[in-house]
Amino acid sequence: MLSSPIFKTALLSAALAGALAAPGEPAPGSGGTESSPSRESGPPARRDPLRSFSQEITPALRLSIDRGFNYLVRNQLTSGSFAGSEGFTVAVNALVGLAFLAGGYTDKEGPYTETVRNCTQCLLSYQNEQGYFDDRESRMYGHGFATLYLAELHGMAGDQRERVRSALKRAVQVIELSQSSDGGWDYQPDSRFGGSGSRGESDTSITVCQAMALRAARNLGIQVQPAVVERARAYIRNAQNSDGGFCYRLSGAIRWGGGSQFPRSAAGVCILYSLAKTPEEYHSPQLNRGYDYLLENYRGFSQFPFYGQYYCTQAMFQAGGKKWAEYFPYLRDRLMKTQKKDGSWSGGGMEVTSQTTAMALISLQMPFRFLPITER
């Protein structure tokens, strides 16, 4: 995979432009002075970008990624969906699509063009007339992931580009108009889009999913109402517990499922960082507490391990420095060790095979730096 023309071109361009500098460091020649968001004083010591890249991307990792992609290709159905989706077609297709984009593969370049094209067409077929991606199971989780995928795909899309942009604009409107009064989002969209609306309390992990999608769309130039983003920022900040983790739901002053858990806390830290507006916010006490929580808990048991590591990988990548240097080798080796013979990853419980395989691939390919949403 990494010997493909698209990867060689991207690697050379990134090296020349300095894009392969360690996360949290200014690119060579950029004149940047922004420091790592980690708590270490000053920016981390500069590393040779190509040497850093070669240390993160090992031959064993390359093989593991190829095996994962081969599993997905073999298990794509004629409908464009994937075996093992267990009814969560929208969410799974969006995540699988993101996995291919994370490797630099699109519907117009690379060896998986047909797979990506069929994946996208299948996903778009689930968008109703009002703009909501509805497979009846994924709910706003699926809609958020679908919106994020379309935003990341748009700049790389081939002959589907105009259709993707149109679908993306309508999907963003669904998110904006389905926001709860507390600034978060619930499982169902507003009734205007075929849902039952909010129950008066928002789910933290669903809120992160929508906020990430809005950020990606806004980065692309799609109009997003600033007030919607500000209310989402306020919700996430209010959902943080004193230990740095995040509660399940907020309902006024009541915190449902108030105890912190790793998966939603990883998501919370990721979006706290992603929605930061000033350099000072990258060093805020809230963000520091969040990273402390992740560093203390990422090796422990998790009910949704792939979901948690998907967000934790993004959060650690954004932090860079010692945090990333400690975390990524651990995650890489753990995922390679637990990969099944057929190339997939199995999460068990409520995490389905195509989803876990896609999330594992996204996490493993974070050092490639292809997904714009992962950058500051």
Side-chain angles (χ1 to χ4, degrees):
M1 180 190 75
L2 299 186
S3 61
S4 65
I6 184 174
F7 187 82
K8 286 183 176 179
T9 301
L11 176 58
L12 177 60
S13 300
L16 292 175
L20 294 182
E25 301 174 15
S30 68
T33 58
E34 191 169 36
S35 64
S36 165
S38 61
R39 290 179 300 158
E40 292 90 353
S41 59
R46 184 175 290 286
R47 295 181 291 173
D48 176 78
L50 292 180
R51 181 171 180 269
S52 171
F53 190 86
S54 65
Q55 290 174 338
E56 293 176 350
I57 308 299
T58 64
L61 177 60
R62 300 177 187 184
L63 177 60
S64 177
I65 291 169
D66 281 340
R67 291 175 57 216
F69 278 135
N70 288 335
Y71 171 84
L72 292 173
V73 171
R74 291 195 312 271
N75 284 274
Q76 187 173 37
L77 307 176
T78 56
S79 65
S81 62
F82 294 85
S85 297
E86 306 298 338
F88 298 95
T89 305
V90 167
V92 169
N93 272 52
L95 288 166
V96 169
L98 284 168
F100 281 105
L101 296 185
Y105 299 114
T106 72
D107 64 348
K108 64 179 180 179
E109 293 185 274
Y112 306 116
T113 54
E114 183 177 359
T115 301
V116 176
R117 186 179 303 113
N118 292 338
C119 171
T120 304
Q121 289 176 345
C122 176
L123 179 65
L124 290 172
S125 73
Y126 280 90
Q127 189 174 36
N128 66 21
E129 293 182 358
Q130 293 76 34
Y132 175 51
F133 287 95
D134 187 10
D135 63 8
R136 300 187 181 278
E137 296 292 340
S138 298
R139 297 174 287 182
M140 285 300 285
Y141 274 122
H143 184 85
F145 285 130
T147 307
L148 173 60
Y149 170 60
L150 294 180
E152 300 294 88
L153 172 67
H154 180 267
M156 313 179 200
D159 56 9
Q160 300 181 96
R161 184 169 184 173
E162 289 306 314
R163 187 182 178 194
V164 166
R165 188 173 184 86
S166 175
L168 176 59
K169 287 182 176 180
R170 292 189 293 140
V172 166
Q173 186 177 49
V174 172
I175 296 175
E176 289 180 324
L177 297 179
S178 297
Q179 188 177 35
S180 302
S181 59
D182 59 10
W185 283 266
D186 204 348
Y187 282 90
Q188 292 286 340
D190 185 81
S191 58
R192 286 170 285 186
F193 308 107
S196 58
S198 173
R199 293 171 288 180
E201 57 190 47
S202 296
D203 180 294
T204 298
S205 59
I206 295 175
T207 297
V208 169
C209 195
Q210 311 315 307
M212 291 289 284
L214 291 179
R215 178 185 176 237
R218 186 175 61 178
N219 289 351
L220 182 63
I222 300 295
Q223 184 175 358
V224 176
Q225 297 178 31
V228 172
V229 177
E230 284 305 308
R231 288 195 295 268
R233 275 167 46 87
Y235 177 91
I236 290 298
R237 293 170 69 89
N238 290 335
Q240 189 173 31
N241 294 325
S242 60
D243 64 358
F246 289 76
C247 70
Y248 172 48
R249 283 183 176 274
L250 285 180
S251 180
I254 302 175
R255 308 171 79 82
W256 299 103
S260 300
Q261 290 190 10
F262 174 74
R264 62 173 174 262
S265 298
V269 173
C270 183
I271 202 62
L272 268 184
Y273 191 103
S274 295
L275 295 184
K277 297 194 298 183
T278 66
E280 291 76 19
E281 288 188 32
Y282 294 119
H283 303 271
S284 69
Q286 278 193 301
L287 200 51
N288 286 336
R289 287 199 306 273
Y291 275 113
D292 285 343
Y293 180 90
L294 296 188
L295 288 168
E296 292 170 3
N297 290 278
Y298 73 82
R299 294 174 182 265
F301 170 79
S302 171
Q303 190 176 7
F304 301 96
F306 290 86
Y307 177 91
Q309 300 297 351
Y310 164 83
Y311 278 117
C312 189
T313 305
Q314 295 177 59
M316 294 298 187
F317 180 83
Q318 290 169 328
K322 293 181 179 179
K323 292 180 177 65
W324 176 250
E326 172 189 332
Y327 173 79
F328 185 71
Y330 161 82
L331 178 70
R332 177 192 62 201
D333 296 347
R334 175 179 172 181
L335 286 176
M336 288 193 300
K337 183 178 180 180
T338 57
Q339 188 174 24
K340 298 171 66 176
K341 290 183 179 180
D342 64 2
S344 69
W345 282 268
S346 178
M350 296 182 67
E351 292 192 303
V352 299
T353 304
S354 295
Q355 167 234 319
T356 55
T357 300
M359 284 183 156
L361 287 170
I362 295 169
S363 297
L364 289 174
Q365 295 177 106
M366 200 63 61
F368 295 177
R369 297 154 170 83
F370 278 121
L371 291 178
I373 194 66
T374 63
E375 299 295 345
R376 178 177 300 177

